[in-house]
Amino acid sequence: MNAGLSGALGRMNPRERTLVVTLISMVSILLIAGAVWMVRGKLKTKEEAISKNRESMAKIQRLAGPYLEQRARTAALTEQLKSNPDALSPDNPVATAAVKTKVRYRNAGDTDETSTMNKVLQVTGELKQRPLIQKKRGVKGPQIYRVEKEFQMRRGYVHVDDLFTFLGEVEALDNMVFISKLDLVRWTRDPDYIQIKSLSASTLRYDEDEEAE
């Protein structure tokens, strides 16, 4: 090929030879430049991909800790829900606190009587349960229920200080029972005395194998 090209160039006059050589040089330069441009484009694409991967990895590393902590908290809470001893009796811990709390109460007149809270605060009504999340019809799977039991003070009024002591005892219990509703009425004859019209003790119940409706 080189011999043929040399022979062809040799048969040309100087002007033609110069034009042909210049054309070949320009074509060669364009081919090299195109090749370099393509290589640089591919390298840039790879560099951008590597940069995005590094950013994604850094983001994953930043989120991994909180995500794993959240998963651990969720697992611990699920286990606590599954083993909740008061899942069907949120009234029991409240009743226990009522037995331990001494109160001053009045039925009528201005004379205090002393007793324990359970003598004036009684459980009433049926156990209420309702799902925290309403699932679509036909969907199976675990469900968490909110379970409630109501108390009432049918007669008499308890001194406000003793009432707050009782409420503090309930809130300090190390369990999953909490007071979700509290309706109080002050005694018009003495505002230091209060009647509990309604108190709802609530907890959560985990149902692992709930059947679809």
Side-chain angles (χ1 to χ4, degrees):
M1 182 178 179
N2 290 336
L5 181 60
S6 299
L9 290 175
R11 291 191 294 271
M12 296 178 184
N13 59 45
R15 183 173 178 276
E16 292 174 339
R17 190 181 301 115
T18 300
L19 291 174
V20 172
V21 171
T22 302
L23 179 61
I24 293 173
S25 300
M26 291 180 65
V27 171
S28 300
I29 292 171
L30 289 174
L31 290 174
I32 294 172
V36 171
W37 180 80
M38 290 179 62
V39 171
R40 291 185 63 182
K42 291 182 179 180
L43 289 176
K44 185 178 180 180
T45 301
K46 290 184 177 180
E47 288 175 355
E48 291 175 351
I50 291 172
S51 179
K52 288 182 180 180
N53 289 338
R54 286 176 178 171
E55 291 176 0
S56 298
M57 182 60 67
K59 186 176 181 180
I60 291 172
Q61 290 175 344
R62 287 195 305 270
L63 297 177
Y67 171 74
L68 293 175
E69 291 176 3
Q70 181 62 42
R71 284 196 61 181
R73 286 194 296 267
T74 300
L77 179 58
T78 300
E79 288 302 316
Q80 188 178 6
L81 286 170
K82 289 180 179 180
S83 59
N84 181 9
D86 305 306
L88 292 174
S89 56
D91 52 306
N92 284 350
V94 177
T96 300
V99 170
K100 296 179 180 179
T101 305
K102 292 184 178 181
V103 296
R104 292 160 287 175
Y105 73 96
R106 295 179 183 178
N107 286 322
D110 300 326
T111 303
D112 284 348
E113 296 185 46
T114 302
S115 182
T116 53
M117 179 64 86
N118 66 302
K119 298 296 183 181
V120 293
L121 185 68
Q122 291 87 32
V123 177
T124 184
E126 301 294 329
L127 190 71
K128 299 177 182 178
Q129 300 187 62
R130 65 177 184 272
L132 287 184
I133 300 175
Q134 293 292 341
K135 295 189 295 187
K136 293 182 179 179
R137 189 176 185 85
V139 176
K140 297 182 179 180
Q143 178 63 279
I144 298 176
Y145 290 89
R146 180 165 172 173
V147 184
E148 292 183 341
K149 189 70 174 177
E150 189 174 354
F151 289 79
Q152 285 184 346
M153 192 179 291
R154 298 185 182 278
R155 59 195 179 100
Y157 294 81
V158 172
H159 196 281
V160 63
D161 291 341
D162 300 334
L163 174 63
F164 288 149
T165 298
F166 164 68
L167 295 177
E169 290 287 340
V170 174
E171 291 300 312
L173 294 174
D174 186 18
N175 56 19
M176 300 192 72
V177 174
F178 55 93
I179 294 175
S180 57
K181 178 183 176 183
L182 183 61
D183 185 9
L184 304 176
V185 177
R186 284 188 181 274
W187 195 20
T188 55
R189 294 178 56 181
D190 189 338
D192 285 338
Y193 284 79
I194 292 178
Q195 186 179 70
I196 298 178
K197 301 295 290 184
S198 176
L199 182 153
S200 294
S202 301
T203 190
L204 299 174
R205 181 176 69 83
Y206 185 93
D207 192 337
E208 181 93 50
D209 301 317
E210 184 191 56
E211 293 291 336
E213 296 182 358

